[in-house]
Amino acid sequence: MRRAVDLTLYLVTDRELSRGRPLEDVVLAAVRGGATLVQLREKHTGTRDFVALARALRARLEPLKIPLIINDRVDVALASGAAGVHIGQRDMAYPDARRLMGPGAIIGLSVETPEQAAEAARLDVDYLGVSPVFSTPTKTDTTTEWGIEGLANLARVSPHPLVAIGGINATNARAVAAAGAAGIAVVSAICAAVDPEAAARELRVLFGK
Amino acid sequence: MRRAVDLTLYLVTDRELSRGRPLEDVVLAAVRGGATLVQLREKHTGTRDFVALARALRARLEPLKIPLIINDRVDVALASGAAGVHIGQRDMAYPDARRLMGPGAIIGLSVETPEQAAEAARLDVDYLGVSPVFSTPTKTDTTTEWGIEGLANLARVSPHPLVAIGGINATNARAVAAAGAAGIAVVSAICAAVDPEAAARELRVLFGK
């Protein structure tokens, strides 16, 4: 089953990087600039607040037809009615997440090595997060970077659309597109931008979709 | 709806306090000694490992008819098929947890103040965790202790059975029982004991049920 999802410009939230601005403001600005998908990522928030944040974001994004994806937490996704979850290799195993979320949910999986990517090829995931394409200070638990060549090699063989994650910004978005990514996931290049809307718009133009 | 559950001796796991012994060994020893319920509490474990731990424990406890309760994480409870969840005031809101877990699940809620207890009286929870009855180093995010008198006052008015949590050990189990608790939740008095089975047995005798 293929769930329709536009992966072109995938905003991953980071409240600490957002210059003290309300999360919703940054997210809505990014969407005005062309973000097609939003992942709510909270690393140090209690479950109750996480659900409340997810619900508030979903209420703003649903009228705009922008899917809300929750990082790691299937419970938060289910409670808030989010469109899906993004899981890493230490998060819930994909078959469990799919069983709990149901066949209509969008589920993406991060792959950090060619071995993990080969394993993921057998799964009915909606996309792979290729992580990190470039090393970045916002992800400290990852290892070797894929680089443009690694991304291109994977794009040639992967049955799944690829979202490039890690260090993506205006200087490399074009090269990432040329390597065959279906989309780019962006954290600081939008969240930390003085003008998140303009930053999103520029990234979309550079990515060329 | 009242779900049948024996709250008498409620083990809450703590791997850091378990003297390096495998979690399952400590839990099974406690059950041999008379623990009637087990809560798996993991504060720093990735979701995948948390689910794996929960599944392994459930496989050992189910044949013994000992319910496994998961701390906070509804996703882990659902993925592992645990009997229920225990939620605190910063975890998922009770109505959300009940909706996701279903009517047959055991759901307990910690109350830290008389105000929270009064609010909880309106909820269809299976028990209240009265937390902390005594101050304890294992719970640093709680405030004033209830004390024996606070516990007794709540027992007189609560429509729900009460589980006393926090600093319960052989020196106070009898007084906690006399105050009207349906059960005692124990962390270090069992997990850190040289002989968890003997510690559990002694607590049951002292609690007098």
Side-chain angles (χ1 to χ4, degrees), chain A residues 148-168:
Chain A
I148 289 291
E149 198 183 323
L151 174 65
N153 289 339
L154 182 53
R156 274 190 285 275
V157 298
S158 175
H160 302 298
L162 305 182
V163 174
I165 301 182
I168 313 294

Side-chain angles (χ1 to χ4, degrees), chain A residues 72-126:
Chain A
D72 177 14
R73 299 288 298 268
V74 168
D75 51 350
V76 174
L78 290 172
S80 66
V85 289
H86 181 87
I87 50 182
Q89 297 288 327
R90 296 198 287 218
D91 299 335
M92 191 177 285
Y94 174 74
D96 290 329
R98 176 58 70 194
R99 182 168 52 85
L100 297 180
M101 293 291 296
I106 299 166
I107 306 186
L109 174 65
S110 280
V111 292
E112 295 168 12
T113 64
E115 293 70 31
Q116 291 172 0
E119 215 176 294
R122 297 180 289 108
L123 304 173
D124 177 35
V125 296
D126 296 287

Side-chain angles (χ1 to χ4, degrees), chain A residues 46-48 51 55 72-75 78-79 88-93 96 99-100, chain B residues 46-48 51 55 72-75 78-79 88-93 96 99-100:
Chain A
T47 303
R48 189 163 306 194
V51 170
R55 279 212 178 104
D72 177 14
R73 299 288 298 268
V74 168
D75 51 350
L78 290 172
Q89 297 288 327
R90 296 198 287 218
D91 299 335
M92 191 177 285
D96 290 329
R99 182 168 52 85
L100 297 180
Chain B
T47 304
R48 189 165 304 195
V51 170
R55 279 213 177 103
D72 177 14
R73 298 290 297 269
V74 168
D75 51 349
L78 290 171
Q89 296 288 327
R90 296 198 286 217
D91 299 336
M92 189 177 286
D96 289 329
R99 182 168 52 85
L100 296 180

Side-chain angles (χ1 to χ4, degrees), chain A residues 132 134-140 142 145 165-168 188:
Chain A
F134 307 109
S135 293
T136 152
T138 61
K139 283 284 279 184
T140 52
T142 48
E145 60 177 45
I165 301 182
I168 313 294
S188 60

Side-chain angles (χ1 to χ4, degrees), chain B residues 11-175:
Chain B
L11 174 68
V12 179
T13 66
D14 190 316
R15 288 197 287 161
E16 283 166 29
L17 288 179
S18 298
R19 297 168 171 262
R21 296 170 295 200
L23 180 69
E24 286 182 36
D25 292 0
V26 173
V27 168
L28 293 173
V31 169
R32 283 193 303 274
T36 58
L37 199 65
V38 175
Q39 179 189 131
L40 178 61
R41 186 170 65 173
E42 293 285 323
K43 288 294 181 198
H44 310 288
T45 303
T47 304
R48 189 165 304 195
D49 289 346
F50 198 169
V51 170
L53 266 174
R55 279 213 177 103
L57 263 189
R58 184 194 157 200
R60 303 300 297 268
L61 293 174
E62 214 162 51
L64 305 171
K65 310 248 189 288
I66 300 292
L68 176 67
I69 307 296
I70 305 296
N71 185 266
D72 177 14
R73 298 290 297 269
V74 168
D75 51 349
V76 173
L78 290 171
S80 65
V85 289
H86 181 87
I87 51 182
Q89 296 288 327
R90 296 198 286 217
D91 299 336
M92 189 177 286
Y94 174 74
D96 289 329
R98 175 60 69 194
R99 182 168 52 85
L100 296 180
M101 293 291 296
I106 298 165
I107 306 186
L109 173 65
S110 281
V111 291
E112 294 167 15
T113 64
E115 292 71 31
Q116 291 172 1
E119 214 176 296
R122 296 181 289 106
L123 304 174
D124 177 35
V125 297
D126 295 288
Y127 67 88
L128 296 183
V130 182
S131 170
V133 173
F134 307 109
S135 293
T136 152
T138 61
K139 283 284 278 187
T140 51
D141 61 347
T142 49
T143 44
T144 330
E145 60 178 43
W146 285 85
I148 289 290
E149 198 183 322
L151 175 63
N153 288 340
L154 183 53
R156 274 190 284 276
V157 299
S158 176
H160 302 298
L162 304 183
V163 174
I165 302 183
I168 313 293
N169 56 44
T171 70
N172 54 36
R174 222 185 274 276

Side-chain angles (χ1 to χ4, degrees), chain A residues 33-72:
Chain A
T36 57
L37 197 67
V38 175
Q39 178 188 132
L40 178 60
R41 185 169 66 172
E42 292 286 322
K43 287 296 181 197
H44 310 288
T45 303
T47 303
R48 189 163 306 194
D49 290 346
F50 198 168
V51 170
L53 265 173
R55 279 212 178 104
L57 264 190
R58 184 195 158 200
R60 303 300 298 267
L61 293 174
E62 214 162 52
L64 306 171
K65 308 247 188 291
I66 300 292
L68 175 67
I69 307 295
I70 306 296
N71 185 265
D72 177 14

